[in-house]
Amino acid sequence: MPEGHTVHRIARLHREAFAGRGVRVTSPQGRFAAGAARLDGRTLDDVEAYGKQLFYRFGSDILHIHLGLVGKFLIYHGEAPAPTAGTRLSIAAGETVAYLAGPMVCELIDPDTEKQIVAGLGPDPLGGGTEEQFAAMVARRSAPIGAALLDQSVIAGVGNVYRAEALFLCGIHPDRPARALQPREVACLWRTIAGAMRLGERLGRIVTVSPEEVGAASPEDLAASDDERLYAYRRAGLPCRRCATELRAWTVGARTITACPHCQPPHPLRRTVQDGPAGATEEVRGC
DNA sequence: TCTTTATGGTGAG
DNA sequence: TCACCCTAAAGAT
């Protein structure tokens, strides 16, 4: 389940469990045997996340991990099962063991390489990025905003779920050119994504629906639900939670997005301002 | 036991 | 635009 919130959560949990301690590092599967042997027994100084990248610092040796689509960490406190045939990496200290399976990247790099990787990424809402940085990246993209949000050089850490949810919550059609968005729409996207990612990091699951909207007491309750956490992602053919219009799915940026035809109109709606200057209009949300 | 699915990204054509 | 890589877990048989 790796979007940025998952990666930052892993960094936090692993920092708490392993940082400042000597750690046992092995590669049960063998595909990271040489790297594991180099790190085994050494002190893990710190764990950091940026976007979807993880960096484990052992002095000037840095373990770089990217989970990709199917990669995951399984963490055990106390008794742990034997690693499976797919366990690329095992990190252990005291009572805690973390198994890594299916990562897209698991490699040793030096500090310069880390700098290059981070330099190629846009602002990370959970990593000190700013709304101004995001706005500057969006302003120079002619691609659809739905594609731009998946581009890690525009904003780091957003994946297919946060993209669909943020565009829905801000009432923005995914096909609209990024640079044509109004400043308030860009601001809405950044703030919505940042807030949702902070919540996701805390809950360990993406929740965007307002609890009161579905009669729930808290986001924690929604996190346990499979049906009520999200507004748009993978809900094609179902009625919009806000207006009951049937949600529609198509491809944007080589991945499937789902959106509401009514809440996310192709062009921002405008209406005449009653008490403003003659001919003045203001934007209104689809819903 | 088999099949399906996934929140990502790259490289070839 | 497509094929392809990585693996666990849920669902189907």
Side-chain angles (χ1 to χ4, degrees):
Chain A
M1 328 169 182
E3 291 196 30
H5 69 298
T6 301
V7 173
H8 279 271
R9 181 181 173 87
I10 288 170
R12 174 167 60 80
L13 296 176
H14 286 192
R15 193 181 306 121
E16 290 167 3
F18 301 129
R21 313 179 66 172
V23 293
R24 291 281 308 174
V25 183
T26 60
S27 179
Q29 175 200 54
R31 287 185 55 180
F32 188 61
R38 185 175 169 92
L39 301 177
D40 190 30
R42 291 168 64 182
T43 297
L44 173 61
D45 299 318
D46 197 13
V47 186
E48 277 187 50
Y50 194 92
K52 297 171 186 170
Q53 321 286 328
L54 280 164
F55 302 104
Y56 294 72
R57 303 186 196 294
F58 297 79
S60 61
D61 283 331
I62 299 165
L63 170 61
H64 172 221
I65 292 169
H66 189 301
L67 294 175
L69 181 61
V70 299
K72 59 198 64 177
F73 264 110
L74 304 174
I75 304 182
Y76 302 95
H77 300 285
E79 195 78 3
T84 63
T87 303
R88 184 87 56 95
L89 173 75
S90 166
I91 304 176
E95 292 288 287
T96 305
V97 182
Y99 291 151
L100 170 66
M104 190 175 72
V105 175
C106 177
E107 62 181 3
L108 280 181
I109 61 174
D110 58 32
D112 281 345
T113 305
E114 182 195 339
K115 283 197 188 78
Q116 286 172 26
I117 292 169
V118 173
L121 299 170
D124 175 357
L126 298 184
T130 68
E131 187 177 316
E132 289 70 29
Q133 292 169 327
F134 175 62
M137 299 306 291
V138 168
R140 67 174 81 127
R141 300 280 160 163
S142 58
I145 185 62
L149 288 178
L150 289 183
D151 184 337
Q152 299 299 297
S153 70
V154 171
I155 180 169
V158 170
N160 210 15
V161 180
Y162 282 122
R163 147 175 104 151
E165 296 300 301
L167 289 170
F168 175 88
L169 285 164
C170 295
I172 297 170
H173 193 288
D175 288 340
R176 288 175 58 201
R179 64 186 179 199
L181 295 192
Q182 303 296 318
R184 54 168 287 280
E185 294 177 311
V186 176
C188 179
L189 284 175
W190 176 264
R191 293 168 194 181
T192 299
I193 290 167
M197 285 179 65
R198 275 193 292 272
L199 181 63
E201 197 276 347
R202 182 160 64 81
L203 299 177
R205 206 158 188 208
I206 300 175
V207 174
T208 59
V209 169
S210 299
E212 60 269 23
E213 200 161 334
V214 292
S218 68
E220 282 78 1
D221 291 342
L222 292 181
S225 158
D226 283 331
D227 305 325
E228 299 189 311
R229 295 181 297 122
L230 306 173
Y231 286 104
Y233 177 74
R234 274 172 62 85
R235 296 195 73 242
L238 295 172
C240 174
R241 296 189 195 281
R242 294 259 168 93
C243 73
T245 301
E246 185 176 308
L247 301 182
R248 197 169 67 81
W250 69 101
T251 299
V252 181
R255 300 181 75 84
T256 302
I257 193 163
T258 304
C260 173
H262 178 255
C263 298
Q264 299 166 258
H267 304 285
L269 302 179
R270 301 189 76 82
R271 68 182 176 204
T272 301
V273 178
Q274 297 299 323
D275 300 320
T281 61
E282 66 178 8
E283 297 162 48
V284 295
R285 284 270 303 283
C287 289

